[in-house]
Amino acid sequence: MPTPHVEAVKQDELDCWRIRHNDAELMVAQQGAHIFSYQRQGEQPLIWQNPEAMFKTGKGIRTGVPVCWPWFGVFDRNPQSVKAMRQSEQPAGAHGFVRTALWTLAAAEAEGNALRVDFVLPAPAGGFPGWPHQVDLKLSLLLDDQLHIRLTSHNRGTDTVTLSQALHTYFAVSDVRNVQVEGLDGLAYIDTADGWAEKTQSGLLHFTAETDRIYLDTPTQLNIVDKDWQRRIQLTAEGSRSTVIWNPWTERAKALDDMADDGWPGMLCIETANVLDDVVKLAPGESHTLGVSLSAITL
């Protein structure tokens, strides 16, 4: 049985953990329980390592796997049932507030030949600022021959809560212009880069311009085929029927202060989500788990 190896480290202003298991190394920031690196020895990184990412207190990290919760993206684009949960006159930042909250490392334990690491963010008394609901969060990471990420929301309050969320994963690719995504053919999607137009995917998804799409009723498994790196990244989702796919391309990348102007070809976001009609409703005492398992196989 493997011995858990978890080491406290610092990344600029942020406290982090380096987690090693067999041939895999995982880096997680306490702020946001944010995975910002995952790589196996002798392989290309699975997670995009953005050299311009800012590890600053109170600022979201543009790399790895941001946890977006309890709303996704621009607040006003969320369903009314999600917006009604918030009680504040202050502007609502994109992607919710837990990606800048300080999570607690609750467990690091061997499970057979795997390693499980749990991070928790309990709701404070009275709920979170501007969001007064008693929903506790746990992010569980399981390392075996894959990386399994599971975000569980548990409503221990007395009212039903509605939320949207995503595991906003930035994948490393050889060149986004030369990769394709399998598993989307025939699906309806919202093209937010084209005025939120409703469209239907035809065939494999290729990338030729800025892409910002919300796919609906997505299957459990999607694949990124990267012929230059001779691999297929497999994503297996849990508790999700919606997927967001994003690459900023040239002009949008230039407007981002935490991405190099020429950084966009090396990344592709495929976000396992609960958005639009796929929101989560939690009655008192109920829980929901949003998860994704990630692996790479040789072509």
Side-chain angles (χ1 to χ4, degrees):
M1 183 175 292
T3 300
H5 190 289
V6 180
E7 175 189 5
V9 296
K10 198 85 172 180
Q11 189 82 8
D12 196 2
E13 295 180 2
L14 302 186
D15 292 323
C16 305
W17 294 280
R18 177 182 288 113
I19 301 164
R20 295 191 179 100
H21 177 66
N22 294 336
D23 64 345
E25 181 178 279
L26 193 64
M27 298 286 288
V28 183
Q30 181 186 20
Q31 179 174 281
H34 190 127
I35 300 167
F36 62 90
S37 176
Y38 169 59
Q39 188 167 8
R40 292 183 177 272
Q41 290 180 7
E43 298 182 8
Q44 297 287 353
L46 199 70
I47 297 297
W48 181 55
Q49 297 174 0
N50 176 13
E52 303 298 321
M54 298 181 186
F55 293 83
K56 302 294 185 183
T57 302
K59 181 176 176 60
I61 309 168
R62 192 181 297 282
T63 196
V65 190
V67 176
C68 306
W69 188 98
W71 61 83
F72 175 80
V74 176
F75 178 75
D76 286 342
R77 283 290 189 178
N78 281 265
Q80 182 57 38
S81 58
V82 172
K83 294 190 289 185
M85 296 290 101
R86 188 170 184 267
Q87 298 178 20
S88 175
E89 298 300 321
Q90 299 299 315
H95 294 318
F97 48 80
V98 302
R99 64 188 182 131
T100 55
L102 294 180
W103 295 56
T104 299
L105 174 61
E109 300 173 346
E111 289 191 355
N113 291 321
L115 174 64
R116 179 176 56 82
V117 184
D118 293 338
F119 303 90
V120 296
L121 184 66
F128 297 97
W131 201 83
H133 310 288
Q134 297 290 306
V135 180
D136 296 333
L137 291 176
K138 180 171 73 172
L139 186 76
S140 291
L141 309 179
L142 187 72
L143 274 170
D144 48 24
D145 57 345
Q146 303 182 54
L147 171 60
H148 309 269
I149 308 169
R150 303 176 84 238
L151 176 67
T152 299
S153 305
H154 174 67
N155 183 7
R156 58 179 172 85
T158 57
D159 299 318
T160 296
V161 173
T162 305
L163 57 91
S164 60
Q165 59 183 345
L167 298 169
H168 191 311
T169 310
Y170 288 77
F171 290 97
V173 295
S174 60
D175 188 322
V176 73
R177 293 164 291 193
N178 298 330
V179 305
Q180 55 199 27
V181 179
E182 299 174 328
L184 300 169
D185 185 32
L187 295 185
Y189 68 90
I190 307 298
D191 191 343
T192 71
D194 187 20
W196 288 70
E198 297 181 10
K199 301 180 180 180
T200 301
Q201 179 67 37
S202 178
L204 299 173
L205 174 59
H206 300 267
F207 298 90
T208 58
E210 178 186 350
T211 301
D212 195 352
R213 301 179 178 184
I214 303 171
Y215 283 85
L216 308 173
D217 294 317
T218 46
T220 300
Q221 183 171 314
L222 299 175
N223 301 315
I224 303 171
V225 180
D226 191 335
K227 293 183 179 179
D228 288 349
W229 278 357
Q230 283 295 294
R231 73 178 183 184
R232 173 181 279 108
I233 299 175
Q234 294 184 333
L235 299 77
T236 305
E238 172 187 359
S240 165
R241 294 187 295 104
S242 48
T243 302
V244 181
I245 298 183
W246 178 68
N247 182 281
W249 221 253
T250 53
E251 295 307 311
R252 183 84 178 273
K254 291 177 182 177
L256 300 173
D257 63 357
D258 51 359
M259 180 186 289
D261 291 354
D262 60 354
W264 59 269
M267 55 76 62
L268 174 62
C269 282
I270 299 187
E271 307 163 37
T272 306
N274 296 116
V275 296
L276 298 181
D277 293 340
D278 185 31
V279 296
V280 173
K281 292 185 178 181
L282 292 177
E286 286 188 340
S287 297
H288 175 271
T289 296
L290 172 68
V292 64
S293 297
L294 309 176
S295 62
I297 59 175
T298 302
L299 291 177

